[in-house]
Amino acid sequence: MGGDHGSKVEISFGGRFASSAIAACFAELCTIPLDTAKVRLQLQKKATSGDVVAVPKYRGMLGTVATIAREEGLAALWKGIIPGLHRQCLFGGLRIGLYEPVKNFYVGDNFVGDVPLSKKILAGLTTGALGIMVANPTDLVKVRLQAEGKLPPGAPRRYSGALNAYTTIARQEGFRALWTGIGPNIARNAIINAAELASYDQVKQTILKIPGFSDNVFTHLLAGLGAGFFAVCIGSPVDVVKSRMMGDSAYKSTIDCFIKTLKNDGPLAFYKGFVPNFGRLGSWNVIMFLTLEQVKKLFAREVPN
């Protein structure tokens, strides 16, 4: 992005990290009810009573939201928001904040022209994997808190809150347990991050070449929707495996979880919660990218060429 009088606009890594974390946290606050619905749908297994298949408790995105609100109260839809914000500060700040520097590293300092899509994908895969290696404990605690439904009267909750969950898991299951599901989580987040950031980058670049379009809110809106759609289509199967592994300790490994899910629930189980997932990721990406584009301006500074 160029400036006047032989200057250009730059943002430091600290500025990129802060603007990315702020945008990701704001998007998380707005959309976590849909994420809670998505987790409940993904963790729901086929219930059978004899030879009869029982009616599932949660049906559809809005039905799941309504059931949770009715049975557990409206506040239950924001279960996991504290570790969710922890996650977005760390993971969102790193994966989005590092994307431009890593992309520039892959193409080289002297590169001129449009960055190839392959380099954008590679940068997204890299920053997604690096970010979640640091932030996995926050993801685990968020899923555990969201997965806990309405309990019988007098039954104690597993965790009293986010900080209690971190310490309880470390004490009862071992410190390494905070990185449970790290395999599918790296796969999921690297893939979804590449789908989100590379598609946003590519869609925005393509739109800006169309006469009449400029780098404005409408362009950011279209690019954000495209990013969310690609992310869900590509990342849904690994997202289901990740949620099941983190929410249920019965699975021995990623492969075990994949095989059992396929065998017991069928291939469509990997796209369970697709509509709430797109509702979540589509709206999350639109809010995040719209916010990011505005917040970045606060950290931008002009430097001589």
Side-chain angles (χ1 to χ4, degrees), residues 147-168:
E148 197 168 61
K150 188 180 182 182
L151 297 173
R157 291 202 170 275
R158 273 204 295 178
Y159 313 113
S160 60
L163 294 178
N164 175 254
Y166 290 122
T167 55
T168 302

Side-chain angles (χ1 to χ4, degrees), residues 16 20-21 23-24 88 91-101 127 193 196-197 284 288-289 292:
R16 288 186 186 280
S20 301
Q88 293 306 338
F91 180 57
L94 288 170
R95 74 179 180 97
I96 303 163
L98 283 170
Y99 175 72
E100 286 294 333
T127 64
N193 192 55
E196 280 179 4
L197 299 185
W284 193 96
M288 191 281 289
F289 282 116
L292 179 66

Side-chain angles (χ1 to χ4, degrees), residues 69-262:
R70 185 176 64 251
E71 292 189 353
E72 303 168 45
L74 209 57
L77 291 166
W78 273 266
K79 263 184 183 173
I81 187 60
I82 300 302
L85 294 177
H86 294 167
R87 178 184 188 272
Q88 293 306 338
C89 276
L90 277 174
F91 180 57
L94 288 170
R95 74 179 180 97
I96 303 163
L98 283 170
Y99 175 72
E100 286 294 333
V102 170
K103 183 176 73 172
N104 293 337
F105 170 77
Y106 282 139
V107 296
D109 291 336
N110 300 320
F111 182 84
V112 178
D114 292 337
V115 176
L117 179 59
S118 60
K119 301 292 186 186
K120 295 174 184 175
I121 293 170
L122 186 58
L125 288 170
T126 303
T127 64
L130 288 173
I132 204 59
M133 284 179 189
V134 176
N136 195 80
T138 63
D139 217 10
L140 175 71
V141 169
K142 178 184 162 196
V143 170
R144 291 271 182 102
L145 290 175
Q146 286 177 316
E148 197 168 61
K150 188 180 182 182
L151 297 173
R157 291 202 170 275
R158 273 204 295 178
Y159 313 113
S160 60
L163 294 178
N164 175 254
Y166 290 122
T167 55
T168 302
I169 292 167
R171 187 177 64 252
Q172 293 181 353
E173 303 172 43
F175 187 72
R176 288 178 62 184
L178 288 166
W179 275 266
T180 298
I182 186 67
N185 217 12
I186 286 175
R188 172 198 181 260
N189 285 285
I191 291 166
I192 290 180
N193 192 55
E196 280 179 4
L197 299 185
S199 61
Y200 180 82
D201 206 350
Q202 192 72 19
V203 170
K204 182 180 169 185
Q205 179 185 299
T206 303
I207 290 172
L208 290 176
K209 290 180 179 178
I210 301 171
F213 281 89
S214 61
D215 193 359
N216 58 19
V217 170
F218 183 62
T219 298
H220 304 156
L221 177 72
L222 293 177
L225 279 171
F229 181 74
F230 283 115
V232 180
C233 289
I234 294 166
S236 197
V238 284
D239 191 41
V240 170
V241 171
K242 181 217 78 165
S243 288
R244 290 199 170 193
M245 280 195 73
M246 288 185 164
D248 189 342
S249 57
Y251 301 111
K252 297 173 186 173
S253 65
T254 306
I255 301 298
D256 180 55
C257 182
F258 181 87
I259 292 169
K260 282 181 178 173
T261 301
L262 184 64

